[in-house]
């Protein structure tokens, strides 16, 4: 690190003090800078990543930023910068240790719902199966955008020093736009269209958007809601009637895993550094689990999934419902394991009927290694 020193650069003293029109000129940025100088981050094999430039003090995220301005973290900042009125001013409010990695991964793995899905391979399906695909796509088109609206609701209140977290949430918003797009396109692409929308899912969405704090919102959205959707996508191979839907689920799954990984690690960071926040998270999840159970058992969701898992109406009872129950078990098991990873064990507190679902608490504890990347 070299601090800029006027004595080293005598030529700067000869710069004009007035513009050609007579206005005074200020060269403070050239002569007086005290920020780090002479740093040369080395690009990694992938290129110059956000991790590569997190060097020197540029990599330090303050626990409590000194300002609430949009001044870039690490710059020399004047005292007169404008207060932006941020309310999320503690690192524990928004941070996750995997934020930079997840941002880079998100940028590297963007895809196009127009170009990257083999729409030309769609084939005519039996009426019951096409209806079920369309019903599931109607529901997903409806719920996906909550995961864009929610970060958007809170991002402008986040201190600018946490810019990597905000950048990651921008990628989540773009991802969700693409998810809403791809499911809307699938509903309309094969002669079916958008089917039934009813009150059940909406109450879940409202619970998420109305959460009192960002950390509560993150627990409800990333850990609970998106975690459940992630497990639906993970079972996409069984749910999808053709390779087109399989591809849609696979592409969405990659994105969803990042969102869930951010939320899990954010909650972990929050609880580790501010243990008082655990009760706030538990209270949100007490309510959220109940709303989610109502959502999962809503008639349109459970029947459409069972029919798809059965491959048609004929085997919905002997094959569809047993597989749907397996999916529910998987969803709650991985949700509870995520809670363990986040450091907010729900095993003693949850009202989810573990016995009824055949979930073994010891298995949940055993399946909970710490997740750094998008493998959540
Ligand atoms: Fe999504
Ligand atoms: Fe998501």
């Amino acid at each position: 690190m070299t601090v800029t020193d006027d004595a080293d650069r005598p030529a700067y003293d000869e710069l004009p003090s007035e513009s050609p029109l007579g206005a005074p000129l200020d060269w403070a940025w050239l002569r007086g800078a005290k920020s780090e100088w002479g740093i040369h981050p080395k690009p990694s094999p992938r290129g110059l990543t956000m991790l590569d430039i997190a060097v020197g003090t540029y990599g330090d995220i303050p626990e409590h930023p000194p300002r609430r301005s949009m001044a870039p973290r690490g710059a020399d900042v004047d005292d007169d910068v404008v207060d932006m009125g941020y309310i999320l001013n503690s690192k524990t409010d928004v941070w996750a240790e995997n934020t930079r990695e997840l941002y880079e991964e998100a940028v590297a793995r963007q895809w196009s719902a127009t170009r990257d899905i083999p729409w030309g391979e769609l084939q005519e399906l039996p009426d019951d199966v096409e209806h079920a695909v369309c019903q599931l796509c109607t529901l997903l088109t409806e719920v996906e955008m909550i995961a864009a609206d929610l970060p958007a609701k809170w991002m402008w209140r986040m201190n600018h020093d946490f810019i990597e977290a905000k950048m990651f949430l921008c990628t989540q918003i773009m991802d969700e736009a693409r998810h809403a797009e791809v499911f809307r396109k699938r509903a309309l692409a094969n002669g079916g269209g958008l089917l039934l929308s009813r009150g059940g899912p909406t109450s879940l969405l409202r619970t998420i958007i109305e959460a009192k704090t960002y950390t509560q919102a993150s627990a409800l959205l990333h850990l609970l809601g998106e975690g459940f959707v992630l497990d639906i996508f993970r079972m996409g191979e069984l749910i999808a009637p053709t390779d087109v839907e399989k591809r849609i689920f696979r592409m969405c799954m990659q994105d969803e895993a990042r969102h869930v990984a951010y939320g899990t690690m954010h909650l972990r960071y929050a609880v580790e550094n501010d243990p008082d926040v655990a009760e706030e998270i538990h209270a949100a999840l007490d309510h959220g689990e109940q709303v989610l159970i109502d959502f999962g058992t809503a008639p349109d969701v459970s029947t459409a999934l069972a029919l798809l898992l059965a491959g048609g109406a004929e085997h919905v009872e002997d094959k569809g419902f047993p597989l749907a129950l397996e999916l529910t078990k998987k969803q709650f098991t991985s949700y509870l394991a995520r809670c363990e990873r986040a450091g907010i064990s729900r095993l003693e507190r949850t009202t989810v009927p573990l016995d009824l679902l055949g979930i073994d608490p010891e298995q949940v504890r055993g399946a909970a290694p710490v997740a750094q990347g998008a493998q959540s």
Side-chain angles (χ1 to χ4, degrees):
M1 182 184 94
T2 308
V3 174
T4 304
D5 186 337
D6 284 4
D8 292 342
R9 297 186 169 84
Y12 294 169
D13 291 340
E14 292 158 25
L15 291 165
S17 59
E18 285 188 356
S19 76
L21 296 176
L25 295 174
D26 187 339
W27 298 94
W29 58 269
L30 184 59
R31 288 197 288 236
K34 290 190 273 311
S35 60
E36 296 200 29
W37 186 258
I39 280 183
H40 298 280
K42 287 198 176 34
S44 66
R46 285 186 287 169
L48 187 65
T49 69
M50 291 300 290
L51 288 99
D52 299 330
I53 64 161
V55 288
T57 57
Y58 293 116
D60 297 338
I61 315 294
E63 300 292 333
H64 301 285
R67 299 174 199 84
R68 299 189 301 185
S69 79
M70 291 201 88
R73 192 185 72 231
D76 291 321
V77 185
D78 251 356
D79 291 335
D80 67 352
V81 289
V82 175
D83 187 317
M84 296 296 285
Y86 298 130
I87 59 172
L88 298 170
N89 292 301
S90 292
K91 193 177 172 187
T92 54
D93 288 336
V94 300
W95 195 250
E97 293 291 13
N98 53 359
T99 308
R100 293 180 179 118
E101 291 90 333
L102 290 174
Y103 173 76
E104 287 290 343
E105 186 182 316
V107 171
R109 302 186 87 171
Q110 291 296 300
W111 52 280
S112 161
T114 300
R115 204 180 49 230
D116 296 326
I117 304 299
W119 296 111
E121 294 172 23
L122 272 175
Q123 46 194 269
E124 197 168 330
L125 296 170
D127 265 9
D128 54 346
V129 176
E130 182 62 31
H131 270 88
V133 171
C134 289
Q135 182 56 42
L136 185 61
C137 288
T138 303
L139 173 86
L140 290 170
T141 307
E142 181 170 344
V143 302
E144 285 289 345
M145 283 301 278
I146 191 69
D149 286 353
L150 191 278
K153 174 187 169 179
W154 290 96
M155 269 176 59
W156 70 282
R157 317 306 303 268
M158 292 179 184
N159 195 293
H160 198 60
D161 275 9
F162 309 132
I163 188 159
E164 292 95 333
K166 296 170 87 163
M167 287 161 64
F168 171 72
L169 292 172
C170 289
T171 69
Q172 172 169 350
I173 289 172
M174 185 60 230
D175 292 345
E176 305 303 356
R178 188 171 51 246
H179 297 177
E181 173 194 356
V182 80
F183 291 116
R184 190 173 179 87
K185 283 181 172 173
R186 174 58 191 88
L188 296 172
N190 209 27
L194 292 159
L195 302 183
L196 253 182
S197 171
R198 291 200 264 194
T202 312
S203 66
L204 172 65
L205 307 185
R206 191 160 171 160
T207 299
I208 292 171
I209 204 77
E210 288 184 344
K212 294 276 187 294
T213 68
Y214 174 70
T215 295
Q216 283 190 324
S218 175
L220 291 169
L221 178 73
H222 296 119
L223 211 69
L224 194 63
E226 294 187 284
F228 272 64
V229 171
L230 175 60
D231 277 317
I232 292 177
F233 295 161
R234 279 179 175 154
M235 284 194 60
E237 295 287 319
L238 291 178
I239 295 167
T242 76
D243 287 346
V244 177
E245 294 82 16
K246 283 190 173 87
R247 174 100 176 140
I248 292 173
F249 288 135
R250 265 202 301 274
M251 300 304 276
C252 291
M253 182 174 67
Q254 294 173 10
D255 300 340
E256 221 58 73
R258 286 194 299 275
H259 311 159
V260 175
Y262 160 76
T264 306
M265 293 303 279
H266 162 53
L267 296 169
R268 184 181 178 88
Y269 187 85
V271 172
E272 275 180 355
N273 292 279
D274 180 9
D276 291 346
V277 88
E279 183 50 39
E280 178 187 307
I281 297 169
H282 276 303
L285 292 177
D286 287 343
H287 178 57
E289 285 171 7
Q290 280 312 306
V291 179
L292 196 80
I293 289 170
D294 295 344
F295 172 76
T297 52
D300 313 319
V301 188
S302 57
T303 48
L305 273 172
L307 195 145
L308 288 170
L309 287 163
E314 193 187 345
H315 293 290
V316 77
E317 276 189 83
D318 61 320
K319 194 175 166 199
F321 288 119
L323 279 171
L325 189 62
E326 273 305 300
L327 171 60
T328 306
K329 181 180 170 182
K330 197 170 160 18
Q331 286 171 314
F332 278 105
T333 304
S334 53
Y335 157 68
L336 292 167
R338 266 193 303 280
C339 291
E340 296 291 310
R341 281 200 288 278
I344 35 166
S345 177
R346 295 284 299 166
L347 287 169
E348 305 298 323
R349 181 147 171 172
T350 185
T351 52
V352 173
L354 301 185
D355 287 348
L356 195 67
L357 289 168
I359 295 174
D360 176 4
E362 285 315 310
Q363 244 179 350
V364 169
R365 288 192 185 96
V370 174
Q372 284 291 339
Q375 304 305 313
S376 164

